[in-house]
Amino acid sequence: MALFKNFSKINFTQTKFILGAFYNRNFSTEMKETTIDLQGQTINYLKVGTGKKTILLLPGALGTIWTDFRPQIEKLDKNKLTIVAWDPPGYGKSRPPKRTFDKNLYHTDAKLAAELMNKLNIPKYSLVGWSDGGITSLILAAKNPERIEALVEWGANSYIIKEELEGLKKIRDVSKWSERMRKPMIEVYGEAYFRELWENWVDTIEVIYKENNGNICKEILSDIKCPTFIIHGAQDAVCHSDHPTYLHKEIKGSKLHVFPDGKHNLHLKYADEFNDMVTKFIESV
């Protein structure tokens, strides 16, 4: 998950989406998830569609296939695209084992995502990553230029600023959240594991800030060679506006589009417009 720009401006609805809690029990009966073992880690994934272009959807922090990408999975044209989506290790149904965190968490996820696509025998694909998944996508694209055809990211950051860290620390204790804010995540994880995940994630962001001087992946952005589409919501209270501007500058030839009224979860609120933009971009490469 990209981090908090102005905590005081985040209302319940936005925070719920930020946490990947766009939760709905009525999963489509036509879309069956399955699991695969990768390096001793259970990975839950979904593969649908018959399109020539394959995309990998990467959710945000604590996010899952369905909490973060239901409008994309259900509405993207599956005759044009083949969609692969995953629950990152330790999230959603990608358990056991439990999620472990360290300051290399995004690099670890990028390696495992690449291994997933290897095991699925998909040599060429595009990345569509939101928030934490966007960070993972940046690293994956930089490390595997021969495999990645295109990159779409929104709500991602390649470094952490102090203001963002301080905003996170204010909400580290989930017992201080309202019941409405806690409930969706508890439905996915159970109360104890949700608390454990969230606290460990916030603590790890602090470790990155202190030990890496806030740097996540700034030094490898120039290694991204694929066509890149950076999308940003001008009203995003989570991802500071400096981040898309910085990424656009550092990734040669990248395209930047701003939704004037978009927030962190713009792909959910503006799903049809977002899906159309992404499809056209992926098809163009």
Side-chain angles (χ1 to χ4, degrees), residues 225-263:
K225 306 303 181 184
C226 64
T228 299
F229 192 8
I230 301 162
I231 302 174
H232 181 66
Q235 307 306 316
D236 192 338
V238 178
C239 182
H240 196 285
S241 59
D242 285 354
H243 293 306
T245 302
Y246 181 80
L247 292 173
H248 183 43
K249 181 183 72 173
E250 295 296 317
I251 302 174
K252 187 176 180 180
S254 61
K255 175 183 177 181
L256 174 63
H257 178 83
V258 177
F259 279 75
D261 298 319
K263 297 182 180 180

Side-chain angles (χ1 to χ4, degrees), residues 55-238:
I55 63 172
L56 173 61
L57 301 177
L58 299 103
L62 280 65
T64 70
I65 295 167
W66 292 105
T67 61
D68 288 15
F69 290 121
R70 174 173 294 278
Q72 284 64 55
I73 294 168
E74 293 185 341
K75 294 184 177 182
L76 282 169
D77 190 334
K78 298 169 193 63
N79 293 315
K80 295 180 177 180
L81 301 172
T82 295
I83 303 168
V84 178
W86 79 333
D87 292 347
Y91 293 167
K93 298 177 185 176
S94 288
R95 296 175 280 159
K98 287 185 175 183
R99 178 78 199 213
T100 58
F101 294 96
D102 60 40
K103 64 182 180 180
N104 296 313
L105 77 158
Y106 300 111
H107 294 265
T108 300
D109 281 4
K111 290 179 181 178
L112 207 59
E115 180 63 17
L116 171 64
M117 301 305 275
N118 287 341
K119 286 289 184 73
L120 296 180
N121 195 29
I122 302 174
K124 298 280 188 178
Y125 52 96
S126 296
L127 304 170
V128 179
W130 177 40
S131 204
D132 261 27
I135 300 172
T136 300
S137 297
L138 294 170
I139 298 168
L140 184 52
K143 296 290 187 178
N144 301 271
E146 74 287 352
R147 303 288 300 279
I148 308 305
E149 294 184 320
L151 165 63
V152 180
E153 72 78 18
W154 65 109
N157 50 300
S158 60
Y159 58 90
I160 303 160
I161 63 175
K162 184 177 180 180
E163 183 180 0
E164 294 169 331
L165 175 62
E166 293 304 315
L168 279 177
K169 290 167 69 175
K170 290 179 181 178
I171 57 169
R172 182 182 180 276
D173 184 357
V174 298
S175 68
K176 296 179 180 179
W177 297 15
S178 69
E179 183 179 354
R180 291 180 65 196
M181 288 176 65
R182 291 195 304 267
K183 183 179 178 180
M185 301 309 289
I186 291 172
E187 288 180 339
V188 176
Y189 293 111
E191 186 168 1
Y193 189 52
F194 166 49
R195 178 187 296 274
E196 177 184 340
L197 272 177
W198 181 249
E199 291 179 354
N200 288 344
W201 183 81
V202 172
D203 292 346
T204 301
I205 298 304
E206 185 169 14
V207 169
I208 294 173
Y209 180 80
K210 291 181 176 179
E211 296 187 7
N212 291 4
N213 196 29
N215 178 45
I216 300 173
C217 60
K218 292 170 65 176
E219 71 282 358
I220 62 173
L221 294 177
S222 61
D223 294 333
I224 298 175
K225 306 303 181 184
C226 64
T228 299
F229 192 8
I230 301 162
I231 302 174
H232 181 66
Q235 307 306 316
D236 192 338
V238 178

